[in-house]
Amino acid sequence: MSRLVGSLQRRERPPRRTGVSSGMEFAVLGAGPQSMLFLPGGPGSEVATGLMAALEERQLRPYLAAGYATWTTTRRRDMPAGHTVADMARDQAKFIRAEMGGRADVVVGQSYGGLIALHLAADHPDVVGRVVIVGAAARVSDWGREVDGRWARLRATGQHARAGSTMLEYLLPDERYAWLRRMAGPLAGVAFRGGRTPAGDLLVEAEAERTFDAREALSRISVPVLMVCGGSDRFFPPPLVEETAEAIDDCTTLTYQGLGHIRTISSSRLPQDILGWLDDRPTVR
């Protein structure tokens, strides 16, 4: 770990700034002529700090080298009860208009962020150039809604060890590993101590996910879309991704065979595949 930290520190660091706008925390890395907005997974969202910020920078370097300034936003803080995914997309559109000159050249929605990105493209096309959906679809599987809702409630009530065990279901869903999840839960739960997402927002996001269904919005998406899915993703199985892609006018799909939800989102192939698609797809103006 010390070697990794040292290598990150020795490399020339791109400019980075953070702030708060439209009720959302954000971070901007680089100063390229094109903009790429990342909408992270959830429930819960935070701007990375410390070592996590350095690791995030490492993951974003291919986009920076390609001439993008990368933006990452949280969800709006202190969302009211009943705030939907479509409402969260409206919040993001407000942020883009206030901070990004009214347009994000590329929006990359990862997992929960992908749900928001679908509504952003459908309901606010003026602020979006192209959209990449990674590990998401217009519906969430029953299994995914249940485990995410349980995870959010445990975090909101400070039950970190049990939240850690639940998070491990994402990686080890088979009941054969229930004993391992219980044993490793307290260690995994350490990551949630000191989290900055308000408890109420965790619950709002979980409820919004429970009722989420964006199928009626898909026909309104006019910008080019890339959907990257895992062949073994239990949150968004390939049939749900295929259903989503077929309803979007201009949609390319890419499947990482054998990969589950987390491994798809964190795949080292992802930046190359996204940038390759962007090179091939014109921007809609």
Side-chain angles (χ1 to χ4, degrees), residues 64-111:
L64 299 172
Y68 289 93
T70 63
W71 297 67
T72 302
T73 58
T74 67
R75 256 69 84 189
R76 172 183 155 193
R77 296 309 193 201
D78 300 315
M79 293 178 287
H83 207 64
T84 66
V85 172
D87 293 330
M88 296 175 201
R90 186 174 63 247
D91 295 337
Q92 295 292 339
K94 182 178 179 180
F95 174 86
I96 292 170
R97 294 184 182 105
E99 293 293 332
M100 301 181 66
R103 184 177 179 86
D105 292 313
V106 184
V107 174
V108 180
Q110 300 169 307
S111 191

Side-chain angles (χ1 to χ4, degrees), residues 1 30 35-36 55 118 123 129 152 171:
M1 180 64 74
S35 59
M36 183 175 288
L55 292 172
L118 287 172
D123 301 336
L171 299 170

Side-chain angles (χ1 to χ4, degrees), residues 128-172:
V128 177
R130 290 165 288 181
V131 174
V132 180
I133 308 293
V134 184
R139 291 189 291 148
V140 188
S141 69
D142 292 341
W143 178 88
R145 287 197 300 269
E146 191 280 327
V147 71
D148 259 0
R150 182 156 36 92
W151 184 51
R153 289 190 296 272
L154 290 169
R155 292 174 62 197
T157 54
Q159 300 181 66
H160 303 301
R162 292 182 62 193
S165 296
T166 301
M167 182 190 71
L168 293 174
E169 291 183 42
Y170 300 167
L171 299 170
L172 303 168

